[in-house]
């Protein structure tokens, strides 16, 4: 039997729910787990997580790996959630998976390009990243 595609499952997203509201809801489903527990297990400093929760620090530029780390912690705790839910809560689309095979393929292709094309590719990637932050 195939596993559900939890990465792109749209059933989890609560429309208009920002990151603090999402974290509050998921912590409530986490059988007595606290912000400190989440911070420690996700590799995020407690003051940073607490500032997000209290809306005293913005969440739109959180590193994607931090968002994914929180997803993994909640999943280990038995709470059903997805990366899409977390990225939607900070107003961003979910970036594609960063699997080792895909990165290796990209690096192999990059190394086959002449140096001028490598520079152009890097500039293009930087522009794409900037656009993804605006959208």
């Amino acid at each position: 039997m195939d596993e559900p595609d939890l990465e792109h499952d749209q059933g989890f997203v609560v429309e208009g729910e920002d990151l603090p509201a999402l974290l509050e809801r998921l912590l409530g489903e986490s059988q007595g787990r606290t912000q400190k527990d989440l911070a420690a297990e996700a590799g995020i400093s407690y003051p940073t997580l607490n500032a997000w929760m209290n809306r005293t620090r913005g969440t739109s530029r959180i590193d994607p790996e931090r968002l994914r780390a929180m997803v993994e912690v909640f999943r280990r705790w038995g709470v059903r959630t997805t990366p899409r839910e977390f990225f939607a809560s900070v107003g961003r689309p979910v970036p594609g998976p960063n699997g080792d095979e895909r990165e290796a393929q990209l690096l192999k292709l990059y190394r086959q390009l002449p140096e001028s094309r490598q520079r152009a590719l890097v500039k293009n990637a930087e522009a794409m990243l900037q656009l993804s932050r605006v959208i």
Side-chain angles (χ1 to χ4, degrees), residues 36 49 51 55 67 123:
K36 286 185 180 182
L49 180 65
R55 294 179 175 87
L67 295 172
K123 285 184 180 182

Side-chain angles (χ1 to χ4, degrees), residues 47-58:
T48 296
L49 180 65
N50 188 260
W52 293 337
M53 295 289 295
N54 291 318
R55 294 179 175 87
T56 58
R57 177 181 269 181

Side-chain angles (χ1 to χ4, degrees), residues 23 35-45 49 52 65-74 76-77 86:
L23 293 173
Q35 288 181 35
K36 286 185 180 182
D37 296 329
L38 176 60
E41 290 195 40
I44 299 167
S45 76
L49 180 65
W52 293 337
E65 291 310 310
R66 284 183 166 185
L67 295 172
R68 289 184 191 282
M70 288 188 285
V71 170
E72 291 309 312
V73 169
F74 281 113
R76 281 196 307 269
W77 292 348
F86 272 76

